[in-house]
């Protein structure tokens, strides 16, 4: 993109940024203002509705109290007298959908108008009757279904007392929740197009809602509307939260304390903020039109102001093509003159740096080429840039060969994954790479190499790449491997020695303690071996030991570990082996060795085995414990007549 377009875009974007800031400021301040006004309005509406409901409830309770006083004044509370009293108060049907009297036993003895199945109905277990009998105060019931009509109603009731002041029953008026005058008026309350009011009981049942399907349904859970859940516990106030439909709405709650109801007023947020949205859309439109009107004027001004830059561009291109050595821009713009001077100075420095770089490159090539070690250079992207002659001679691959193959194509497959991961880590972390691994040369020879690569940085600290060396350590590695083998093996039999066997037993014990992988242990020494050494000499004894080593190796699994533990003592570790399997193996060893013999000076010599068998158990904290059990079992075998297998008992 040209500088002119960039500047034009920047100016346009700057103006748009100003518009956006104005939009954001208008949105934030308008949102706050509308929220405050809406909260005040909703709170007022909720308080007004709650006050109206409170008055309606008090009116009905007072009417019930007057009716109760009339019934009590007649003396005895019986069916005939109370029925007459109800019929005389037909005017109360403007407030109630029905009247009823309950005696002290909880049976309906009078009702008006008559409803089939109601008279004689037992309400002794009803919460309203129990409250009246125990507390003796007017009461507004929870919603319930009126007997005989399946109509959901609310009962407004007051207690009745006899001449002695004792509880004599109650009189009440029911209000139909679906069609009652009290609830019908509330159901038609609207706030704008989508706002509405609802009334809930403190126990969580919906009494009033513009949608009839919600009537008497449980209120939404705390996870759906936490503010409503707080209101059911007695909280009053305003909030913003989602409705069951998912619509976010402004909400206000007020308590109607006498009946224990909660008034909720709800206004969808989109409806409340609609005027603000209209204002911001128009502000955005005006800002956009202004930007479009200003762009042609800005474009012409930029065209005039950028003429010196176009001249500077042509001269820089000429320098790059070799037609000029320096810039000579004649302009009154101070900034462009400084740019030209800086470019000329940079061009001079560049020529000097190029000359120094060529000298250093020639010196570096001479040093790398004369090095006896294989050397290579990688850039920070992992691309091989250089290999010296010593590395080509070591690996048999030229630089082109390395580039045509993948970086790890010549590494032994067992080492390839670790080397690849370590090299990637070095590239990302800029740490040194150092690793010994197996390498397949071009001639097919497998060698061990020691590779060390270090990061090279410029004087400014910028990483340039990795320079490394590759050294053939095959002979050293083989010598070290032989030394490790000799340190853990018996030179006569080739079996493990005590040191090698105990290390493997410690590993098996660790597997047992951590993962529950069991292992068995067999210890034995040779019966009647001393005469072979005494009469035939140590050479004959060594021959017998070698013969025994070969024999027992043929009787066990490849995964088992055999050891000459010392002198004529042997040990066998059987990983992942049960006690029964180990006992069978010990018996096979006993029979196989029993059949062996050596001869000297006309005499034939035989040996037998006294074997002790055990497995690792929960109490084994170190290798000495199972070794001691197996050794004791072997000793019992020898004491019991030799040439036998003894199993070490499990510790108590």
């Amino acid at each position: 993109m040209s500088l002119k377009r960039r500047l034009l875009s920047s100016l346009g974007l700057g103006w748009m940024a100003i518009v956006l800031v104005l939009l954001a400021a208008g949105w934030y301040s308008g949102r706050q203002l509308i929220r405050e006004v809406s909260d005040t309005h909703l709170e007022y509406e909720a308080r007004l509705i709650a006050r109206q409901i409170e008055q309606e409830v008090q009116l009905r309770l007072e009417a019930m109290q007057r009716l109760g006083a009339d019934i009590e004044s007649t003396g005895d509370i019986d069916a005939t007298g109370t029925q007459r009293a109800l019929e005389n108060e037909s005017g109360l049907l403007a407030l109630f959908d029905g009247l009823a009297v309950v005696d002290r036993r909880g049976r309906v003895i009078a009702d008006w108008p008559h409803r089939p199945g109601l008279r004689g109905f037992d309400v002794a277990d009803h919460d309203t009757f129990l409250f009246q009998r125990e507390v003796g105060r007017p009461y507004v019931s929870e919603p319930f279904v009126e007997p005989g009509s399946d109509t959901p109603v609310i009962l407004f009731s007051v207690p009745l007392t006899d001449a002695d002041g004792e509880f004599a029953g109650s009189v009440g008026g029911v209000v139909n929740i679906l069609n009652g005058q009290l609830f019908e008026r509330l159901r038609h309350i609207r706030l704008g197009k989508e706002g509405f009011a609802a009334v809930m009981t403190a126990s969580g049942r919906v009494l009033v809602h513009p949608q009839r399907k919600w009537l008497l349904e449980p209120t939404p859970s705390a996870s759906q509307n936490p503010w409503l859940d707080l209101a059911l516990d007695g909280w009053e106030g305003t909030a913003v939260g989602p409705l069951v439909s998912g619509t976010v709405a402004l909400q206000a709650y007020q308590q109607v304390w006498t009946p224990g109801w909660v008034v909720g007023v709800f206004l969808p947020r989109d409806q409340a903020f609609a005027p603000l949205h209209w204002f911001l859309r128009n502000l955005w439109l005006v800002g956009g039109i202004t930007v479009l009107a200003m762009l042609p004027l800005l474009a012409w001004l930029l065209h005039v102001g950028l003429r010196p830059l176009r001249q500077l561009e042509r001269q820089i291109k000429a320098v790059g093509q070799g037609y000029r050595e320096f810039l000579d821009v004649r302009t009154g713009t101070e900034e462009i003159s400084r740019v030209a001077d800086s470019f000329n100075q940079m061009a001079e420095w560049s020529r000097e740096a190029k000359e120094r770089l060529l000298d250093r490159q020639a010196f570096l090539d001479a040093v790398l080429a004369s090095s006896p070690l294989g050397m290579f250079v990688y850039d920070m992207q992992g691309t091989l840039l250089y290999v010296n002659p010593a590395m080509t001679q070591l690996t048999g691959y030229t630089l082109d060969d390395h580039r045509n193959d993948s970086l790890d194509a010549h590494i032994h497959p067992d080492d390839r994954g670790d080397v690849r991961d370590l090299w990637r880590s070095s590239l990302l972390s800029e740490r040194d790479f150092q690793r010994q691994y197996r390498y397949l040369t071009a001639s097919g020879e497998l060698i061990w190499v020691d590779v060390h690569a270090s990061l090279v940085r410029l004087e400014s600290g910028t990483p340039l790449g990795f320079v490394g060396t590759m050294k053939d350590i095959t002979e050293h590695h083989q010598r070290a491997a032989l030394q490790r083998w000799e340190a853990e093996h018996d030179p006569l039999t080739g079996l493990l020695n005590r040191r090698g066997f105990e290390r493997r037993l410690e590993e098996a014990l660790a597997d047992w303690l951590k993962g529950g992988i069991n292992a068995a242990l067999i210890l034995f020494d040779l019966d009647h071996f001393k005469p072979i050494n005494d009469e035939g000499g140590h050479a004959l004894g060594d021959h017998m030991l070698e013969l025994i080593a070969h024999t027992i190796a043929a009787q066990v699994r490849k995964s088992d570990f055999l050891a000459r533990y010392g002198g004529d003592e042997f040990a066998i570790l059987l990983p992942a082996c049960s006690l029964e399997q180990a006992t069978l193996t010990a018996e096979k060893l006993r029979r196989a060795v029993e059949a062996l013999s050596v001869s000297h000076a006309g005499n034939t010599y035989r040996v037998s085995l006294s074997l002790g068998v055990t497995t690792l158990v929960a109490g084994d904290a170190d290798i000495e414990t199972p070794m001691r059990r197996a050794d004791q079992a072997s000793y019992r075998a020898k004491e019991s007549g030799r040439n036998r297998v003894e199993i070490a008992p499990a510790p108590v």
Side-chain angles (χ1 to χ4, degrees):
M1 182 184 292
S2 66
L3 179 59
K4 177 181 177 181
R5 291 183 179 179
R6 289 179 182 272
L7 291 174
L8 192 60
S9 300
S10 299
L11 291 172
L13 290 175
W15 178 252
M16 296 303 294
I18 294 174
V19 174
L20 288 175
V21 170
L22 292 175
L23 287 172
W27 168 257
Y28 179 78
S29 59
R31 182 186 178 91
Q32 292 296 110
L33 179 60
I34 290 177
R35 173 68 190 278
E36 292 175 3
V37 172
S38 298
D39 284 350
T40 302
H41 174 65
L42 291 181
E43 189 174 18
Y44 170 78
E45 290 288 342
R47 188 180 300 112
L48 190 65
I49 295 171
R51 186 180 301 117
Q52 178 185 351
I53 294 175
E54 185 73 38
Q55 292 172 354
E56 294 283 352
V57 169
Q58 289 293 342
L59 175 63
R60 284 163 175 77
L61 289 178
E62 290 172 0
M64 282 296 100
Q65 287 176 329
R66 289 194 298 272
L67 178 58
D70 292 343
I71 293 174
E72 290 174 349
S73 66
T74 63
D76 293 336
I77 301 176
D78 55 14
T80 303
T82 55
Q83 183 65 41
R84 188 181 305 110
L86 294 183
E87 294 176 0
N88 291 335
E89 295 291 340
S90 296
L92 291 179
L93 296 181
L95 299 176
F96 300 100
D97 295 299
L99 304 173
V101 178
V102 178
D103 64 12
R104 69 177 72 246
R105 294 176 302 171
R107 292 189 177 275
V108 178
I109 61 175
D111 68 311
W112 183 252
H114 294 298
R115 291 180 292 285
L118 182 60
R119 189 170 300 180
F121 189 79
D122 190 353
V123 297
D125 294 332
H126 198 280
D127 291 341
T128 303
F129 179 78
L130 295 175
F131 181 87
Q132 301 268 304
R133 187 180 64 185
E134 300 299 329
V135 180
R137 290 204 308 268
Y139 184 71
V140 180
S141 74
E142 289 289 315
F144 67 94
V145 176
E146 186 178 28
S149 66
D150 294 330
T151 302
V153 296
I154 294 289
L155 177 64
F156 295 78
S157 65
V158 296
L160 299 174
T161 57
D162 56 18
D164 297 327
E166 297 295 329
F167 177 74
S170 64
V171 59
V174 296
V175 175
N176 189 320
I177 295 176
L178 297 178
N179 301 310
Q181 181 183 8
L182 171 61
F183 299 114
E184 189 66 22
R185 289 200 304 270
L186 297 174
R187 200 157 26 245
H188 289 86
I189 294 176
R190 289 291 186 274
L191 287 86
K193 292 183 179 180
E194 301 179 18
F196 64 93
V199 180
M200 293 73 66
T201 67
S203 60
R205 301 283 295 279
V206 179
L207 291 178
V208 176
H209 196 280
Q211 298 181 19
R212 284 181 173 267
K213 67 178 182 178
W214 279 102
L215 297 183
L216 299 183
E217 291 295 320
T219 57
S221 64
S223 60
Q224 294 175 305
N225 192 337
W227 304 110
L228 174 56
D229 188 64
L230 289 175
L232 296 179
D233 288 336
W235 173 76
E236 294 180 325
T238 59
V240 178
L243 303 179
V244 176
S245 62
T247 303
V248 178
L250 306 181
Q251 308 175 28
Y253 296 97
Q254 287 290 321
Q255 302 293 326
V256 185
W257 297 108
T258 299
W261 297 345
V262 179
V263 173
V265 179
F266 307 93
L267 180 66
R269 185 172 59 184
D270 291 342
Q271 178 179 327
F273 292 159
L276 178 61
H277 293 160
W278 178 88
F279 170 74
L280 293 177
R281 281 196 302 270
N282 283 275
L283 180 60
W284 175 260
L285 180 62
V286 171
I289 293 174
T290 304
V291 170
L292 293 177
M294 291 177 58
L295 285 178
L297 177 61
L298 292 174
W300 180 78
L301 292 175
L302 288 174
H303 177 76
V304 174
L306 292 178
R307 285 176 182 171
L309 282 178
R310 289 193 290 273
Q311 181 184 3
L312 180 66
E313 176 192 4
R314 290 192 295 271
Q315 291 195 16
I316 290 176
K317 183 182 294 186
V319 172
Q321 294 173 347
Y323 299 134
R324 302 178 62 98
E325 293 186 358
F326 298 99
L327 302 181
D328 184 16
V329 179
R330 302 181 183 278
T331 177
T333 305
E334 181 181 354
E335 290 78 4
I336 295 179
S337 297
R338 287 204 298 265
V339 170
D341 293 341
S342 298
F343 181 88
N344 291 335
Q345 188 176 18
M346 183 189 67
E348 180 65 26
W349 289 346
S350 177
R351 283 193 295 272
E352 294 175 358
K354 186 175 182 180
E355 292 175 358
R356 290 195 300 269
L357 181 61
L358 292 174
D359 292 340
R360 291 181 180 179
Q361 183 67 44
F363 176 76
L364 178 61
D365 290 344
V367 170
L368 294 177
S370 62
S371 171
L373 289 177
M375 301 189 70
F376 56 87
V377 177
Y378 278 93
D379 63 14
M380 294 304 297
Q381 287 70 45
T383 302
L384 184 63
L385 303 178
Y386 174 83
V387 294
N388 72 343
M391 183 166 173
T392 299
Q393 182 179 1
L394 173 63
T395 63
Y397 298 109
T398 64
L399 177 61
D400 290 338
D401 294 333
H402 286 290
R403 286 178 172 175
N404 292 332
D405 297 328
S406 62
L407 295 177
D408 51 12
H410 310 302
I411 300 174
H412 191 280
D414 293 344
D415 300 335
R416 189 173 298 158
D418 292 341
V419 174
R420 184 192 298 118
D421 292 342
L422 183 59
W423 177 238
R424 289 175 179 171
S425 175
S426 297
L427 289 175
L428 293 174
S429 64
E430 301 181 359
R431 293 195 298 265
D432 285 3
F433 172 90
Q434 187 166 8
R435 181 78 177 185
Q436 295 180 358
Y437 54 87
R438 287 164 289 183
Y439 189 93
L440 187 64
T441 66
S443 63
E445 180 185 3
L446 187 65
I447 62 174
W448 278 89
V449 294
D450 182 14
V451 178
H452 187 190
S454 298
L455 181 67
V456 177
R457 297 180 182 271
L458 297 175
E459 293 181 359
S460 62
T462 304
L464 185 61
F466 283 85
V467 175
T469 61
M470 176 182 283
K471 181 180 179 182
D472 185 355
I473 59 168
T474 304
E475 182 179 352
H476 170 75
H477 194 274
Q478 292 174 345
R479 185 166 56 251
L482 179 60
Q483 290 174 351
R484 290 194 299 271
W485 189 91
E486 290 175 346
E488 293 190 345
H489 289 77
D490 175 48
L492 175 64
T493 62
L495 303 180
L496 291 172
N497 58 18
R498 177 190 293 265
R499 177 181 177 182
F501 183 79
E502 289 182 348
R503 182 172 69 82
R504 286 157 179 81
L505 181 56
E506 287 175 347
E507 292 172 355
L509 180 59
D511 291 340
W512 163 245
L513 294 176
K514 292 179 181 179
I517 302 175
N518 202 355
L521 179 64
I522 301 175
L523 288 186
F524 61 87
D525 57 11
L526 307 182
D527 303 327
H528 313 297
F529 181 70
K530 190 172 184 301
I532 298 177
N533 267 339
D534 293 345
E535 299 175 13
H538 289 291
L540 185 62
D542 291 347
H543 177 61
M544 174 58 85
L545 291 174
E546 291 176 335
L547 187 60
I548 291 172
H550 290 304
T551 300
I552 63 177
Q555 303 298 321
V556 298
R557 304 170 302 181
K558 291 183 179 180
S559 59
D560 298 335
F561 298 102
L562 288 71
R564 182 186 176 194
Y565 206 65
D568 62 344
E569 292 182 292
F570 290 81
I572 304 175
L573 175 62
L574 301 94
C577 182
S578 65
L579 183 62
E580 292 77 9
Q581 292 172 321
T583 304
L584 294 175
T585 300
E587 186 61 32
K588 286 171 53 180
L589 297 176
R590 185 193 66 77
R591 290 196 301 269
V593 173
E594 185 181 34
L596 299 178
S597 66
V598 293
S599 300
H600 177 73
N603 295 322
T604 299
Y605 299 93
R606 298 179 184 275
V607 296
S608 60
L609 305 183
S610 297
L611 302 100
V613 183
T614 188
T615 58
L616 300 178
V617 296
D620 293 338
D622 51 50
I623 64 173
E624 285 77 13
T625 304
M627 289 289 293
R628 185 163 49 251
R629 283 200 307 274
D631 185 61
Q632 290 172 353
S634 173
Y635 180 77
R636 287 195 302 274
K638 190 175 289 293
E639 289 292 313
S640 300
R642 297 185 174 88
N643 195 24
R644 58 186 291 120
V645 177
E646 283 286 337
I647 300 174
V652 180

